[in-house]
Amino acid sequence: MAITSIIGGQWGDEGKGKIVDILSENVDIVARFQGGANAGHTVIIEGNKIVLHQIPSGILHPECKCILGNGMVVDPVGLFEEIRMVEDQGIETANRILLSLTTHIVTPIHKAIDKTSEDATNQKIGTTCKGIGPAYMDKITRKGIRAHDLLDLPSLKQTIDHRLSEAIKNNEVSKSAVNQINADLKQFYECVPAIAELVSDTFQYLHSIIHQGKNVIIEGAQGTLLDIDHGTYPFVTSSSPNNGGITTGLGIPQSHLDRKIGIFKAYTTRVGKGPFPTELFDGDGDKLGKLGHEFGATTGRPRRCGWFDGVAARYSCLVNGFTEIALTKLDILDNFDEIKVCTAYELDGKLIKNFSEVIYKLDQVTPIYESLTGWSNPVENIDHIDNLSNRAGQYIHFLEELVDTPIKLVSSGPERHQIFTREIS
Ligand code: GDP
Ligand code: IMO
Ligand code: MG
């Protein structure tokens, strides 16, 4: 039996989709436990690009079932369209997508509230406007709609009518937005019957599969630095995208997790607002963005780029207890003569090595870098990536020492075959 979790170690977009796709070949279930359509997980197979938002990346392997867990907030309209998109690619989805009875539902009202509150505030988070925060807010204040509510359409309509009146009364949405919300609700109700068919007791199913000793992958969305508790609050998402969120978001105890893989880019990116100590505003930043095609898979916004932040990464390893790391996009660094890695911060003349100490004032720290020499051969052509006689191998070794976690997988391009497994004794 192996239960493997795959978690973003940075601010999201680390390449989780690609790694889940590779590792889910002989897996029975891939399950998501948090987030929703704010995620954009890219899988590229022989040049064909598929971006998944709510369906777990295991869908590309025909034998694999996909669970949308109770900790997610699921948008039925987005899910309906995503299923159609996947089917159009020739992938059978019948009986393969299971939605937990207790997953919370994102309605057009949540999306409108998300947009209204982003537009109104001076402290913009740069949300994806997918209704994530407002749906989690309704969950926590105990007025959310859950997947089992989709099974009774007349009662669902009553609940939603009531929530819309409340949103108008409390100025959560503007009066001018109401016509659009009603038009969106019409489309929402049209999608409900198809999505209601996916609803089942996924808790029992998942535990029975685990009991049979089968293989399960748990797919994180977002990243640890966007965690509502452990991230760069308030510039975070509204869920717990770290290993801890699995326990509540699927009902699987931590003790069941055999392999906990943290996904890290070989450099750092962030999309949306918030502090980012190693962000580059120079030619190197532009180069990372251009070569790495760093544009959001969900919103298309340019991602901010910077060097690898070892202080943040070490913290992320502590939060998650990663047993290993998968390092992605190493090939993008092929093109640099000098590569920098942040090993500490400086604040008011003091050396800072603990992210947690300055997490609330990260915008004030100055990164301290160590410089490494780049490599001249594309990493893809290297025979043994773990060979320390090559500079790419030295870079990997430097990072794993810094974060005190072995790097066992190294990705050298977006395609399935562009992956190295490192032998570490
Ligand atoms: P996710 O949200 O963590 O799944 O990541 P995204 O899909 O949002 O962004 C990662 C991007 O990097 C996607 O466009 C992937 O196709 C691409 N990618 C993943 N691994 C590699 C890699 O090793 N090298 C390169 N060049 N691209 C990669
Ligand atoms: P994947 O799974 C990168 C960011 C948004 C914003 C903040 C809050 O593809 O790695 P939200 O809509 O969640 O309320 O927005 O979080 N964000 C992501 N950034 N990758 C993601 O997902 C993200 N999901 C949300 O840009 O700053
Ligand atoms: Mg993404």
Side-chain angles (χ1 to χ4, degrees):
M1 166 180 99
I3 304 186
T4 303
S5 67
I6 294 182
I7 300 289
Q10 297 158 316
W11 277 290
D13 301 329
E14 300 89 350
K16 298 175 290 294
K18 171 182 166 164
I19 302 297
V20 171
D21 170 60
I22 288 175
L23 296 183
S24 56
E25 191 178 355
N26 295 310
V27 154
D28 298 278
I29 293 180
V30 177
R32 284 261 315 259
F33 64 96
Q34 48 69 233
N38 48 351
H41 296 176
T42 314
V43 181
I44 299 184
I45 304 167
E46 290 167 14
N48 187 29
K49 176 171 159 177
I50 299 181
V51 181
L52 296 159
H53 299 286
Q54 301 190 90
I55 302 176
S57 306
I59 197 72
L60 303 174
H61 294 282
E63 303 303 319
C64 183
K65 297 218 182 198
C66 293
I67 290 181
L68 282 68
N70 63 276
M72 287 184 74
V73 284
V74 166
D75 169 14
V77 179
L79 184 56
F80 183 86
E81 287 168 356
E82 197 169 323
I83 290 171
R84 214 164 42 188
M85 179 275 288
V86 166
E87 293 261 349
D88 284 349
Q89 303 267 346
I91 298 161
E92 256 314 317
T93 65
N95 301 318
R96 294 186 54 215
I97 299 174
L98 295 87
L99 174 59
S100 163
L101 280 162
T102 53
T103 303
H104 279 254
I105 295 297
V106 177
T107 69
I109 307 170
H110 296 120
K111 291 192 227 176
I113 296 174
D114 203 358
K115 184 160 187 332
T116 308
S117 60
E118 268 292 275
D119 287 347
T121 179
N122 288 330
Q123 194 187 43
K124 296 202 190 309
I125 307 295
T127 78
T128 58
C129 288
K130 299 288 180 186
I132 305 297
Y136 277 119
M137 212 162 73
D138 279 2
K139 170 178 176 172
I140 297 300
T141 52
R142 293 161 296 189
K143 56 187 178 194
I145 294 163
R146 304 200 294 180
H148 61 81
D149 293 317
L150 304 181
L151 304 172
D152 181 347
L153 199 53
S155 161
L156 176 71
K157 284 185 174 171
Q158 269 185 8
T159 311
I160 289 181
D161 283 349
H162 178 259
R163 183 66 185 90
L164 181 56
S165 309
E166 185 186 75
I168 296 166
K169 192 174 107 206
N170 297 340
N171 293 321
E172 291 176 280
V173 295
S174 66
K175 288 206 175 66
S176 62
V178 173
N179 279 348
Q180 186 58 51
I181 294 172
N182 279 322
D184 293 345
L185 277 171
K186 192 167 171 288
Q187 188 192 14
F188 174 88
Y189 293 128
E190 280 164 11
C191 295
V192 164
I195 302 305
E197 282 186 17
L198 312 178
V199 177
S200 66
D201 178 6
T202 58
F203 176 87
Q204 178 55 33
Y205 178 61
L206 190 52
H207 275 278
S208 74
I209 288 290
I210 292 171
H211 188 69
Q212 290 169 48
K214 295 189 173 175
N215 295 321
V216 174
I217 283 184
I218 300 166
E219 175 176 350
Q222 290 76 57
T224 302
L225 303 177
L226 288 170
D227 187 283
I228 186 78
D229 283 281
H230 300 292
T232 50
Y233 190 92
F235 302 99
V236 292
T237 191
S238 303
S239 67
S240 302
N242 76 85
N243 266 321
I246 293 171
T247 301
T248 49
L250 282 169
I252 298 181
Q254 287 289 301
S255 54
H256 280 28
L257 305 181
D258 303 297
R259 200 174 165 196
K260 297 182 253 191
I261 308 179
I263 315 295
F264 289 83
K265 257 180 209 170
Y267 48 100
T268 311
T269 62
R270 174 163 206 173
V271 61
K273 306 275 183 201
F276 179 179
T278 63
E279 183 169 13
L280 292 169
F281 300 96
D282 59 6
D284 282 340
D286 290 345
K287 197 165 150 184
L288 285 170
K290 204 169 280 170
L291 295 172
H293 303 291
E294 296 295 354
F295 292 92
T298 297
T299 58
R301 292 176 291 177
R303 295 176 183 146
R304 301 151 64 193
C305 298
W307 297 120
F308 188 88
D309 184 339
V311 184
R314 199 166 41 223
Y315 166 79
S316 182
C317 289
L318 288 175
V319 170
N320 288 287
F322 292 136
T323 56
E324 64 188 273
I325 285 173
L327 189 71
T328 61
K329 300 194 104 162
L330 189 64
D331 52 306
I332 303 306
L333 298 182
D334 283 350
N335 307 282
F336 289 82
D337 296 331
E338 181 193 23
I339 300 166
K340 292 185 184 173
V341 175
C342 170
T343 55
Y345 302 144
E346 195 260 346
L347 182 64
D348 300 329
K350 195 176 155 205
L351 192 72
I352 310 283
K353 293 212 164 187
N354 296 321
F355 193 76
S356 52
E357 193 180 333
V358 289
I359 195 164
Y360 67 101
K361 50 181 176 183
L362 270 180
D363 52 344
Q364 296 170 35
V365 305
T366 306
I368 296 177
Y369 289 113
E370 202 147 322
S371 271
L372 286 89
T373 311
W375 45 90
S376 40
N377 286 332
V379 278
E380 215 188 337
N381 300 337
I382 295 175
D383 277 347
H384 295 287
I385 198 84
D386 42 348
N387 189 340
L388 287 180
S389 65
N390 68 65
R391 293 206 187 96
Q394 287 163 12
Y395 183 72
I396 295 166
H397 193 65
F398 185 84
L399 297 191
E400 63 188 354
E401 292 271 296
L402 186 61
V403 304
D404 198 21
T405 308
I407 296 174
K408 294 199 178 172
L409 291 169
V410 178
S411 174
S412 60
E415 290 276 355
R416 268 183 180 166
H417 67 271
Q418 293 175 304
I419 192 93
F420 294 93
T421 305
R422 289 176 79 231
E423 304 297 333
I424 301 171
S425 52

